[in-house]
Amino acid sequence: MIRREWLGPLLLCTVCLALHFALPGETAMADGSTTSDSALKLWYTQPAPWDGTVPPKYDQWVHALPLGNGRLGAMVFGGIQRECVQLNEDSLWTGAPEDPDRPDAFEHLPEIRRLLLEGKNPEAEALVNQHFTCRGAGSGTGSGAKVDYGSYQTFGELTLDMDHPGPPRIALTQWRRESVDDTENRPEVQPDFDASAWDEVTLPTDVDIVYGEHAVAANAVAVFRTEFGLTRAQLQAGIGMLHLGRIDDHGWVYVNGAEVGRTEDWARTHSFDVSEHLREGRNVLAVIVQNIGGPGGLSAGATLSGTVDGYRRDLDLGTAIATVTYVADGVRYTREAFISAPDQAMVMRITADQSRKVSFAASLSRVECASVTADGDDGLVMRGQVDDGKG
């Protein structure tokens, strides 16, 4: 029996962190740019959405910037106070050797051909499914991780918690909900509407869509409202980005009675710049949710966040370098990452334009089949063995 195993030294060899401390009077990449003159860049002015779940949810993962060399891979999220790098290594598969062949499959081929020529496609398909598919569990109907067939597994997550002030963040967890007849001209979205008699709903920030008793039924509409206060200091700190989780199926989003956006893709998260609609004191956020079919509702994970000066993340398609740069507490920080094919390593360089300002805590994690231990004062080792499908 062959069981696949990976060891921490592989990860230690593939992920390297290099720190650069600027000397007094020296500027380390003060403009936040790379040395490349390539015009082929994917660039963004805010981090990829990530609610801290590991592994990252798919609808958040797709916003990260990809790096790779054909064997090693990484998705860089570009967080400010907390960076997530999802790691991949191409040999990490579950499963074990199996014998799925059907030696007698050829004996049924003439009959399958005859049925097809006679236009009896359903009968031919039934024979194909019976005699031309693999023996045993096969791919587990698309869930092959726990059977012999196996499936590819992500390596884990590298998380960097930066030791500097981050942008302000407010979690919006306490809501009220009420079913309504339609989506048009709803008075319930106005800030002076009295929703005190509505059902109370708690939407924690660490779960997905809350269905259950507060779900929105098929072909139905509901309004979700929450109130929050803001201080002048919070507004001056730049708070103004609204982040919502998935809305199943369609959503209309209002801040203090003004529509700030609509959503139609139930499979992704959403962000809106609502800074011009926020005010000191009481604020009201309302979301109309229309469900087309099946269970629907409003996802947890709604937050308001501030910004930092000069934020930018980009992927240079000419150099394959992912760069994140921003100013926090008067210091410009820059993180650059790439994956080398000759050295089979991922390298990240972290710089600051002031002396003794680069400080962070690094951690490795994987949701199953692994453990992480310290390797001296400056190393981490991840060891594990993935499922062989034998139970």
Side-chain angles (χ1 to χ4, degrees):
M1 179 192 308
I2 298 176
R3 297 183 67 132
R4 293 169 175 84
E5 179 172 333
W6 80 94
L7 296 177
L10 170 64
L11 185 61
L12 293 176
C13 291
T14 60
V15 179
C16 309
L17 299 177
L19 309 183
H20 175 74
F21 301 92
L23 297 174
E26 179 186 37
T27 299
M29 302 195 66
D31 62 355
S33 65
T34 68
T35 57
S36 168
D37 293 327
S38 171
L40 298 177
K41 289 187 178 182
L42 304 175
W43 60 272
Y44 306 86
T45 57
Q46 62 184 27
W50 181 50
D51 62 7
T53 304
V54 289
K57 299 171 185 174
Y58 173 74
D59 59 342
Q60 300 172 353
W61 179 85
V62 295
H63 293 276
L65 294 175
L67 299 172
N69 65 7
R71 185 179 76 86
L72 303 175
M75 297 292 284
V76 182
F77 280 70
I80 298 171
Q81 205 163 17
R82 196 175 202 208
E83 172 66 285
C84 175
V85 181
Q86 186 266 322
L87 302 168
N88 285 293
E89 197 276 335
D90 72 352
S91 70
L92 200 60
W93 285 74
T94 63
E98 60 175 337
D99 181 15
D101 294 339
R102 292 187 182 273
D104 63 342
F106 73 96
E107 298 176 0
H108 303 276
L109 184 58
E111 177 66 7
I112 292 171
R113 287 172 171 168
R114 183 187 68 79
L115 291 170
L116 289 173
L117 290 174
E118 293 179 2
K120 299 178 179 179
N121 289 12
E123 292 86 347
E125 183 179 5
L127 280 179
V128 168
N129 291 336
Q130 184 178 357
H131 299 288
F132 271 66
T133 56
C134 65
R135 292 189 298 176
S139 66
T141 61
S143 301
K146 303 297 184 181
V147 295
D148 289 352
Y149 186 89
S151 68
Y152 179 71
Q153 301 284 293
T154 63
F155 196 101
E157 286 73 39
L158 169 67
T159 303
L160 306 179
D161 288 295
M162 307 301 296
D163 187 16
H164 62 60
R169 190 175 184 86
I170 300 174
L172 305 175
T173 60
Q174 302 304 312
W175 296 69
R176 290 185 179 273
R177 176 204 181 279
E178 180 72 0
S179 297
V180 295
D181 295 331
D182 55 51
T183 63
E184 299 297 325
N185 302 315
R186 302 306 318 177
E188 294 88 352
V189 304
Q190 298 302 319
D192 57 356
F193 183 87
D194 182 6
S196 59
W198 290 12
D199 292 341
E200 296 183 358
V201 184
T202 298
L203 299 179
T205 58
D206 57 350
V207 298
D208 205 346
I209 287 183
V210 177
Y211 291 124
E213 62 179 309
H214 299 298
V216 180
N219 302 311
V221 180
V223 180
F224 292 79
R225 278 175 60 108
T226 185
E227 298 185 10
F228 55 93
L230 291 175
T231 66
R232 180 175 302 178
Q234 288 173 317
L235 292 172
Q236 291 174 342
I239 200 161
M241 288 301 301
L242 171 63
H243 308 282
L244 294 173
R246 298 193 296 126
I247 298 176
D248 189 359
D249 288 291
H250 303 313
W252 289 258
V253 183
Y254 295 82
V255 173
N256 292 325
E259 183 177 333
V260 298
R262 299 186 179 188
T263 69
E264 295 183 351
D265 186 350
W266 68 270
R268 59 177 289 264
T269 57
H270 310 277
S271 295
F272 305 96
D273 183 350
V274 298
S275 53
E276 65 179 282
H277 302 289
L278 298 176
R279 57 200 182 199
E280 183 179 353
R282 176 178 175 269
N283 291 264
V284 175
L285 167 64
V287 182
I288 301 175
V289 178
Q290 180 185 45
N291 182 28
I292 304 301
L298 175 65
S299 173
T303 57
L304 275 171
S305 70
T307 59
V308 291
D309 292 336
Y311 181 91
R312 175 180 166 118
R313 64 183 174 107
D314 64 53
L315 174 61
D316 190 319
L317 301 183
T319 64
I321 295 175
T323 302
V324 180
T325 183
Y326 55 86
V327 176
D329 202 25
V331 180
R332 175 166 291 282
Y333 294 90
T334 302
R335 297 193 296 267
E336 301 163 282
F338 68 93
I339 294 181
S340 167
D343 295 307
Q344 289 297 304
M346 173 184 166
V347 177
M348 179 180 289
R349 181 171 72 169
I350 304 174
T351 67
D353 69 355
Q354 295 182 28
S355 178
R356 303 175 65 85
K357 291 296 184 179
V358 176
S359 177
F360 62 89
S363 60
L364 289 172
S365 63
R366 195 173 192 277
V367 294
E368 62 178 7
C369 304
S371 62
V372 178
T373 57
D375 181 29
D377 295 332
D378 57 359
L380 293 171
V381 177
M382 178 184 285
R383 292 184 174 89
Q385 183 169 302
V386 293
D387 198 298
D388 66 357
K390 300 297 185 182

